[in-house]
Amino acid sequence: MKPIETRLAKLARKGDQRAFAEIVDLYKDKLYHLAYRMTSNRQEAEDVVQECFLRVYRNLDRYDENQKFSTWIYRIATNLCIDRLRKRRPVYSLDAESSDHEGLDGYAMLPSDDRTPESELILSETQRIIRDAIDTLPVKYKSVMVLRYLQDMSLQEISDVLDMPVTTIKTRVHRGREFMRKKLEHKL
């Protein structure tokens, strides 16, 4: 039996708009989360998701049903993020700290029984430091680290998404962790 996404893609390919709407519902939040983690910008993340669904719609006939649909759609989104990051010009601003509040995600907002205002501040500051360190990673490491640790993908899934050998993914994860360790050793 084929996964639901494959069946939906087949229906959407035949013109069923409700099937495509279900695909959008299934993936919009996941893709936004991925794009936001890679671009660190809400507007760009929204643009990436929109462009991703446009490409999926236009290229449904190119989707290979023997491949996982999630791998295919994540590859499209990841490549769009990488393209945006490569085109991005460095921005230097004296007000760089003012954008910190935009980066708060749902995890930072989850209530907990044992959190105090002090622990919230420490957690928020730690998350900001880690986000800033991820943002400084070179693109080839950033994409792998986001997919591995923020999207919780296996090395094989990342290999499929980025169309690279698993050994290359392992190397990039290792080097990305080393880069992060060096960046964070004096900050945390």
Side-chain angles (χ1 to χ4, degrees), residues 2 21 30 39 66 68 77 81 85 147 152 157 166 171 183:
K2 296 204 179 231
K30 294 173 187 172
T39 63
N66 297 319
K68 282 177 66 177
C81 289
L85 290 171
L147 291 171
D152 204 27
E157 289 173 320
V166 174
T171 302
K183 282 278 187 187

Side-chain angles (χ1 to χ4, degrees), residues 34-176:
L34 167 72
Y36 180 74
R37 290 298 185 183
M38 288 190 68
T39 63
S40 300
N41 181 294
R42 291 177 194 273
Q43 187 64 44
E44 275 191 295
E46 290 170 2
D47 290 348
V48 164
V49 172
Q50 188 172 21
E51 178 66 23
C52 180
F53 284 122
L54 282 171
R55 288 195 183 184
V56 166
Y57 187 76
R58 285 186 198 133
N59 296 300
L60 273 171
D61 56 319
R62 298 168 108 192
Y63 167 61
D64 177 6
E65 293 176 18
N66 297 319
Q67 182 184 28
K68 282 177 66 177
F69 186 82
S70 60
T71 300
W72 185 65
I73 198 167
Y74 270 109
R75 179 182 295 162
I76 293 169
T78 302
N79 287 339
L80 286 168
C81 289
I82 290 170
D83 288 347
R84 281 184 175 265
L85 290 171
R86 284 183 180 149
K87 290 176 186 173
R88 199 184 268 180
R89 290 194 170 98
V91 177
Y92 302 101
S93 171
L94 297 174
D95 299 324
E97 293 293 321
S98 66
S99 66
D100 284 349
H101 297 293
E102 180 184 77
L104 288 179
D105 60 12
Y107 299 114
M109 304 308 249
L110 289 174
S112 174
D113 299 334
D114 59 343
R115 288 193 178 166
T116 63
E118 181 183 14
S119 68
E120 284 289 328
L121 180 64
I122 292 169
L123 177 62
S124 176
E125 182 64 14
T126 303
Q127 288 174 336
R128 184 191 63 77
I129 290 168
I130 291 170
R131 263 193 323 274
D132 289 348
I134 288 173
D135 285 344
T136 65
L137 285 171
V139 173
K140 66 182 180 179
Y141 301 133
K142 184 176 185 176
S143 60
V144 171
M145 296 297 280
V146 167
L147 291 171
R148 178 75 174 126
Y149 295 107
L150 301 178
Q151 294 296 317
D152 204 27
M153 287 187 171
S154 71
L155 295 174
Q156 183 60 53
E157 289 173 320
I158 298 168
S159 169
D160 294 342
V161 167
L162 297 179
D163 198 25
M164 293 178 187
V166 174
T167 53
T168 303
I169 300 301
K170 285 181 184 178
T171 302
R172 289 189 179 183
V173 166
H174 175 72
R175 289 182 181 159

